[in-house]
Amino acid sequence: KAREASKWDADQAPLNQKALRVMRGLVPVDITSSSLQRITDEVNDALGPGREALAKKLTKRIWGTQSLWLIRMPTERIRRSHIADFRTRWAISGLDIVELRALYAALPETFEQDRSGEKLAWRASIRAKVVALAEKEAKNRLTPSEKRHAASARPSGILWSVTRAVSSRG
């Protein structure tokens, strides 16, 4: 079973890394020290006039889904985080396959202060969800919301515009 899991991880790594790149293009580098207003302004600037509704949805998704912040958080900080954060702050319900793949790719394989194994179990639950969605994807059975959340389901040109604007500010 461990060998199968390792093979799956190796086979899926390119897709997970691609998802991580896409999501890092949406989540600002400094998300944990930013503000809702600043992110709103940056996304509005990046998307330009006439796209306020999209900007509002995307900003709400980025700001309101703190589990996505983990893709920008230093690995050591994730390792040291308290189990309560994993259970509550970083809930994974409602994440699409791209977001889950990115999150899984960003997580460390080990955690500090995890004698009970709860943090590893949390990571394993994300992996299990990615595996399940990948199987559905292979059979072309993902629902639209499992495929891509409506706030993020836009042409890549728009996403890369957001990437340049958000990541270019320091």
Side-chain angles (χ1 to χ4, degrees):
K1 191 170 182 174
R3 183 179 286 167
E4 284 179 29
S6 263
K7 182 177 176 353
W8 187 91
D9 283 344
D11 291 347
Q12 296 296 312
L15 292 172
N16 296 343
Q17 288 300 315
K18 180 180 177 183
L20 183 60
R21 283 190 304 277
V22 167
M23 291 309 301
R24 282 186 172 160
L26 292 175
V27 180
V29 174
D30 61 347
I31 187 72
T32 60
S33 61
S34 196
S35 68
L36 176 59
Q37 187 58 55
R38 182 169 160 222
I39 293 170
T40 300
D41 292 345
E42 290 174 346
V43 171
N44 274 320
D45 289 349
L47 294 179
R51 299 212 165 132
E52 291 80 10
L54 173 60
K56 184 176 180 178
K57 284 181 184 177
L58 187 54
T59 300
K60 182 178 178 185
R61 182 71 174 168
I62 293 167
W63 187 256
T65 311
Q66 289 192 14
S67 56
L68 295 178
W69 298 16
L70 290 167
I71 67 172
R72 288 296 192 176
M73 196 176 289
T75 303
E76 286 309 309
R77 184 170 169 195
I78 298 170
R79 277 187 220 277
R80 290 189 316 264
S81 295
H82 193 275
I83 186 61
D85 289 328
F86 291 91
R87 289 184 192 138
T88 57
R89 252 179 102 192
W90 302 326
I92 62 166
S93 62
L95 296 184
D96 64 42
I97 190 168
V98 176
E99 294 165 340
L100 283 164
R101 283 183 179 278
L103 178 56
Y104 183 64
L107 292 175
E109 291 188 23
T110 61
F111 297 90
E112 294 178 16
Q113 302 168 358
D114 190 31
R115 289 185 189 154
S116 65
E118 290 177 87
K119 294 177 188 180
L120 280 177
W122 180 82
R123 184 183 187 275
S125 73
I126 292 171
R127 184 186 183 282
K129 192 155 183 169
V130 174
V131 169
L133 288 178
E135 287 172 1
K136 284 180 75 172
E137 183 178 46
K139 295 173 184 173
N140 201 26
R141 295 193 187 273
L142 287 176
T143 65
S145 63
E146 289 171 333
K147 211 177 266 189
R148 206 68 181 109
H149 187 276
S152 308
R154 297 289 180 244
S156 60
I158 293 173
L159 299 181
W160 293 118
S161 296
V162 172
T163 303
R164 282 193 298 275
V166 172
S167 63
S168 67
R169 298 188 187 202

